[in-house]
Every structure is written in C-alpha cells, then in structure tokens.
Amino acid sequence: MAFEPFFHFMRGIQGKLQSGSLGNPLSGQNGQQIAYVRNLQKEMKHNHSLHVPFEKLSVVIFDMETTGFFPEQGDQIISIGAVKMVGGVISKETFYSLVRYEKELPAKIEQLTGLSTEQLKDAPSLAEVLVKFYQYAQNSTLVAHHANHEKSFLQSANWKLFRTPFKHRIIDISFLYRVAEPKITFVRLEEFCEHNQIPLVDRHHALGDAKLTAQLWRIYIQKVQELGCQTLHDVFIRIAKQL
C-alpha cells in the first residue's frame, strides 16, 4: 500500500539519534520526572489520531526557540510555547516557559528572540519544562510549522534527560500546505501568514509563533476538508499518491 512507506518516511524524517554524543544523561535528574515521561511515552502507542475527523481532532500547536539548529553539536532549547486546539477552535489555555541557559546567549539569538542571558539564568531546567509541557500536551498530537527542528531537539532531550525515545506524534503543518496549495513554494512562517492575511504578532517568540501556526492550522484543515480530506490519514494518502 502506498501509504505505508510514506508513513514510515514521515516517522523517521529526522533519522536516528546519535547516541554517542549525549554524555551522562541521567546524572542529577529527578526519578519521578523520568518515570512520568517514560509512562507517558508508553501511552503514545494508543494514540489513533490519524483517523480522527479534523473537527474532533485534539492537537497541541507548539514552537520552541533554540540557540541554534543542531542539538548534537550543543545547541539548546531556550523557550517553549504551545496552544491547544480541538478542530478549528483555539483554546485560551496556553503554555509558555523559558528554559535555563547558563552560557552567554549569542547576540544574534538575543536580537532575534528578544530574550537575554539574565532572563535564562534563573529559568527552570529543561527537564522541569519538558515534564510540564508533556503534562500540558498529554496524548494530544503535536503540530509545528516545519517540525524537523522541534522534533530533533525533543528526540535529543528525551534521550539525554529521560533515557526514553520521543514517541509523541508530531505533524508538520507543511503536509497540509502541500495538499491544499501544492504550487506554493513558501517556507517561512511569515510568508504563510501574509499569504493568509494573518497579522504578524510576536514573531520569533515561542508562544507567539505557536499562536500564528494555530491560525494557519485552522485555515488549512478547512482547505483540505474542502478537497475531500477529512482526517490526517486522508492527507497522507493524498501526498503519497503525489510521490
């Protein structure tokens, strides 16, 4: 079946973790945090979101700011923002946290995000923030704009901090773009927002970008529904046929 190889391609889009670069991941970590995350990851096996109609699908749209693009080279998460949605309804229940970073924040990251070294020195640890984020998300499907970046950092952090694989399903919203408007070649979040007349508010702020992506999700699930795709499974089948 054409869907299967595409589905495995999607699941493995980030490749395998480079386990040799993770050092000693469990030193100093709270045992309850580790147990919580491991149990939550086991529950992910029962998530059947691919076949839930879009109007009933519960998702968490999220974004993160980082010090760079490569966690295996030492780049780190410095903030996470998220918003919940059911169908096209955006919840007022949001998540946002800075993440402790004890080095000097690169000047270009300060300029881009508006964050400072002083703000991050007193922020919660990444382990604390991830546990709170997973508690917020529960077993909802995660959604991000061009999700490779977020997925690679979460894969690395989960293994480094909790010694467990990252098993939440992350949907890249670009799959909806490809079905709804296959000829469009936009890449940046602001390009899609401008194309859909969404005002750019708090760009390059993790929660701000999550809210922008949530507005795009609402628009594009409606567009793919109009084309006959009622579930994520339908979207992936449509893309697989295009390959």
Side-chain angles (χ1 to χ4, degrees):
M1 184 176 180
F3 170 73
E4 288 300 326
F6 177 76
F7 177 67
H8 290 302
F9 167 77
M10 181 196 74
R11 291 286 301 272
I13 201 167
Q14 288 305 310
K16 295 182 179 179
L17 274 169
Q18 300 299 316
S19 58
S21 63
L22 294 177
N24 183 12
L26 297 183
S27 59
Q29 292 307 316
N30 184 295
Q32 290 181 332
Q33 292 175 337
I34 295 170
Y36 174 83
V37 173
R38 286 179 173 174
N39 287 334
L40 183 62
Q41 300 298 353
K42 290 179 182 178
E43 293 175 6
M44 292 302 101
K45 296 178 182 178
H46 305 295
N47 187 333
H48 303 297
S49 59
L50 285 178
H51 299 280
V52 177
F54 280 120
E55 62 267 20
K56 296 181 179 180
L57 181 61
S58 175
V59 299
V60 169
I61 315 287
F62 80 110
D63 184 81
M64 59 178 60
E65 300 299 331
T66 62
T67 60
F69 296 100
F70 307 105
E72 70 277 6
Q73 296 179 16
D75 291 325
Q76 297 182 33
I77 300 169
I78 54 176
S79 67
I80 301 177
V83 60
K84 291 181 177 179
M85 294 185 69
V86 177
V89 179
I90 301 174
S91 171
K92 294 181 180 178
E93 183 185 355
T94 61
F95 175 90
Y96 180 70
S97 181
L98 300 177
V99 178
R100 186 183 307 152
Y101 185 69
E102 297 177 347
K103 301 177 184 178
E104 193 73 20
L105 197 63
K108 62 180 181 180
I109 302 300
E110 285 191 341
Q111 293 172 358
L112 184 68
T113 65
L115 299 177
S116 68
T117 299
E118 290 303 314
Q119 286 178 292
L120 299 179
K121 282 182 178 179
D122 297 324
S125 69
L126 179 57
E128 294 175 81
V129 174
L130 286 180
V131 167
K132 290 179 180 179
F133 174 60
Y134 293 150
Q135 288 173 334
Y136 172 82
Q138 293 296 317
N139 64 348
S140 294
T141 295
L142 300 178
V143 175
H145 175 81
H146 291 305
N148 292 3
H149 179 74
E150 283 78 8
K151 188 173 182 179
S152 65
F153 275 88
L154 289 176
Q155 285 178 325
S156 177
N158 253 47
W159 189 250
K160 182 177 181 180
L161 296 173
F162 309 119
R163 278 300 188 195
T164 183
F166 179 74
K167 292 184 180 178
H168 273 84
R169 175 174 284 119
I170 297 184
I171 300 299
D172 192 326
I173 196 174
S174 67
F175 289 128
L176 300 188
Y177 304 154
R178 289 177 61 183
V179 169
E181 298 176 318
K183 295 183 180 180
I184 287 181
T185 58
F186 300 146
V187 174
R188 295 179 299 158
L189 181 62
E190 53 264 43
E191 292 177 307
F192 281 97
C193 289
E194 290 167 2
H195 174 65
N196 290 280
Q197 289 81 53
I198 298 172
L200 287 172
V201 179
D202 293 331
R203 181 75 175 100
H204 295 300
H205 181 284
L207 182 55
D209 284 356
K211 289 180 176 180
L212 292 175
T213 305
Q215 293 183 67
L216 288 170
W217 176 261
R218 178 169 58 190
I219 289 170
Y220 279 91
I221 61 172
Q222 182 177 346
K223 289 185 177 183
V224 298
Q225 283 177 304
E226 291 171 354
L227 293 172
C229 295
Q230 303 304 317
T231 66
L232 287 169
H233 179 270
D234 294 341
V235 169
F236 296 146
I237 289 289
R238 181 73 65 95
I239 296 175
K241 289 179 179 178
Q242 297 173 358
L243 295 179

